[in-house]
């Protein structure tokens, strides 16, 4: 009878606080040696041009396999890496790996790297990027940096100076997860982004929400007027892909088209010349 009383709930609450604290502690200590212990890896997810079906580039996505916690998602450990002051070290590793991986790929395919707001504040970023491009022998136009709207929460003069400096290197800038954060349409024209990635929540809602449809169509239209590419993120169904095309998006990315892949697997797929059509044929064969 005593089960489920307030007192018991208080006890389990205490335990879960303790568990949360232990996990945070394990992540903090684990992160400090994750690079040295070779627990980090990158996966690469292709982005496809909707009109031609061709791959335009791949986004590098960080993976961490902790020895006891298993796979820890980047959305959990990146903010912790920022808090304990090792985001620059991790990003340095990511940039090096991403630039090296892109040199495996045919043609002019780009690699996109996510840059956290804290790193964008750091004066060492441009030099870090240049040295990785040089080491890999990768032309700057094949590198794309993705930042989210949160960077505009910081000192705007500083943010815009940094974006300008990165631009001068010759790389491409993408505004990621557009429409979720501290957004303003004025950023689109003021900050010369090459590409806008509309947050996947919009694509997941288009079916039942006329508001999402209107937002998505308006963003695609505005971006086209401003000469920017638009990526529809999180495409999971044929219907969402058709919707992205009809709304005027230039590009699409999502589990339907291709899952994120380890470096050897993505190199093999790209060397084989995948496109939206060949990926659809693969899916049909798997279902058969
Ligand atoms: P993001 O940059 O918006 O990356 C896209 C996320 O959506 C990835 O999650 C990807 O695996 C996932 N995704 C791709 N297609 C689909 C789909 O069709 N459906 C659904 N539901 N999800 C899809 P992931 O890899 O867990 O990364 C989450 C976030 O962590 C990223 O969001 C990015 O903000 C951050 N992140 C990842 N790698 C790095 C990194 O190297 N540095 C930094 N600073 N952040 C990173
Ligand atoms: Mg991204
Ligand atoms: Mg995104
Ligand atoms: Mg995201």
């Amino acid at each position: 009878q005593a089960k489920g009383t307030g007192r018991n709930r208080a006890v389990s609450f205490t335990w879960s606080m303790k568990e949360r604290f232990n996990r945070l502690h394990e992540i903090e200590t684990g992160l400090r040696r994750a690079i040295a212990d070779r627990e980090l890896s990158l996966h690469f997810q292709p982005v496809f041009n909707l009109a031609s079906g061709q791959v335009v580039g791949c986004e590098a996505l960080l993976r961490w396999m902790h020895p006891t916690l298993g796979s820890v998602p980047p959305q959990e450990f990146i903010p912790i890496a920022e808090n304990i002051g090792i985001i620059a070290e991790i990003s340095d590793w990511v940039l090096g790996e991403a630039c090296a991986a892109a040199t495996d790929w045919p043609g002019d395919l780009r690699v996109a790297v996510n840059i956290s707001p804290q790193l964008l504040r750091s004066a060492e970023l441009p030099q870090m990027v240049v040295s990785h491009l040089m080491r890999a022998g990768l032309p700057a136009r094949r590198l794309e940096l993705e930042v989210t709207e949160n960077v505009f929460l910081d000192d705007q003069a500083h943010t815009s100076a940094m974006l300008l400096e990165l631009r001068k290197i010759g790389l491409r800038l993408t505004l990621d997860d557009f429409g979720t954060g501290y957004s303003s349409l004025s950023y689109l024209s003021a900050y010369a982004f090459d590409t806008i990635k509309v947050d996947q929540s919009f694509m997941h809602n288009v079916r039942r929400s006329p508001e999402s449809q209107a937002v998505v169509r308006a963003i695609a239209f505005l971006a086209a007027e401003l000469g920017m590419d638009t990526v529809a993120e999180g495409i999971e169904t044929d219907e969402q892909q058709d919707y992205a095309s009809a709304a005027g998006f230039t590009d699409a990315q999502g589990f339907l088209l291709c899952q994120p892949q380890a470096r050897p697997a993505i190199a093999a797929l790209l060397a084989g010349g995948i496109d939206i059509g060949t990926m659809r044929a693969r899916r049909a064969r798997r279902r058969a």
Side-chain angles (χ1 to χ4, degrees):
Q1 277 291 294
K3 278 197 187 116
T5 64
R7 191 155 162 237
N8 268 316
R9 275 203 299 276
V11 168
S12 64
F13 178 66
T14 307
W15 270 107
S16 87
M17 285 295 285
K18 187 175 158 138
E19 275 157 18
R20 289 219 310 265
F21 177 81
N22 284 345
R23 183 174 171 90
L24 181 63
H25 181 72
E26 283 210 61
I27 289 176
E28 284 185 3
T29 50
L31 269 178
R32 294 185 200 278
R33 38 141 207 78
I35 296 176
D37 291 356
R38 300 176 168 274
E39 290 165 9
L40 297 182
S41 63
L42 290 184
H43 278 196
F44 299 90
Q45 186 180 36
V47 176
F48 296 86
N49 180 270
L50 280 163
S52 70
Q54 303 286 318
V55 178
V56 295
C58 297
E59 178 173 10
L61 296 162
L62 188 53
R63 298 290 174 257
W64 180 25
M65 187 54 79
H66 185 280
T68 57
L69 299 175
S71 169
V72 183
Q75 258 147 348
E76 183 175 12
F77 73 77
I78 294 284
I80 298 173
E82 290 190 317
N83 280 339
I84 63 174
I86 58 166
I87 192 66
E89 200 187 323
I90 289 178
S91 307
D92 193 40
W93 182 88
V94 169
L95 280 163
E97 289 289 308
C99 291
T103 62
D104 300 344
W105 307 343
D108 257 0
L109 294 181
R110 302 191 293 259
V111 65
V113 173
N114 292 286
I115 299 295
S116 76
Q118 199 189 93
L119 186 65
L120 202 76
R121 257 179 260 140
S122 131
E124 54 182 314
L125 178 61
Q127 189 47 54
M128 190 191 282
V129 169
V130 169
S131 69
H132 285 299
L133 288 170
M134 286 175 61
R135 192 170 313 158
L138 192 74
R141 65 176 190 290
R142 292 187 58 194
L143 179 66
E144 194 171 321
L145 299 183
E146 301 192 356
V147 301
T148 63
E149 296 159 313
N150 295 339
V151 299
F152 297 111
L153 290 169
D154 291 339
D155 175 17
Q156 304 241 344
H158 191 268
T159 299
S160 75
M162 177 56 89
L163 292 176
L164 199 69
E165 202 177 336
L166 292 170
R167 243 181 181 278
K168 283 201 195 124
I169 298 172
L171 48 73
R172 293 172 58 104
L173 292 175
T174 294
L175 189 51
D176 198 3
D177 300 347
F178 186 74
T180 53
Y182 177 77
S183 19
S184 160
L185 290 178
S186 65
Y187 297 148
L188 294 186
S189 50
Y191 294 93
F193 286 99
D194 301 280
T195 305
I196 303 168
K197 283 196 179 187
V198 173
D199 192 69
Q200 50 190 54
S201 59
F202 289 99
M203 292 323 291
H204 296 165
N205 289 335
V206 282
R207 182 181 194 135
R208 31 176 215 286
S209 157
E211 291 83 6
S212 283
Q213 291 187 14
V215 169
V216 156
R217 278 203 304 266
I219 294 170
F221 177 80
L222 184 61
E225 291 286 300
L226 294 169
M228 288 184 259
D229 290 341
T230 33
V231 183
E233 266 196 311
I235 298 290
E236 293 178 353
T237 66
D238 286 308
E239 190 187 16
Q240 288 166 358
Q241 185 195 316
D242 293 344
Y243 190 83
S245 297
F249 279 82
T250 57
D251 304 297
Q253 176 181 6
F255 295 159
L256 175 78
L257 302 164
C258 190
Q259 295 273 342
Q261 310 279 332
R263 179 172 169 178
I266 195 71
L269 281 174
L270 296 173
I274 54 162
D275 59 33
I276 289 181
T278 58
M279 294 310 281
R280 187 180 296 121
R282 273 165 191 268
R283 287 200 301 280
R285 274 202 305 279
R286 271 204 306 275
R287 275 197 302 269

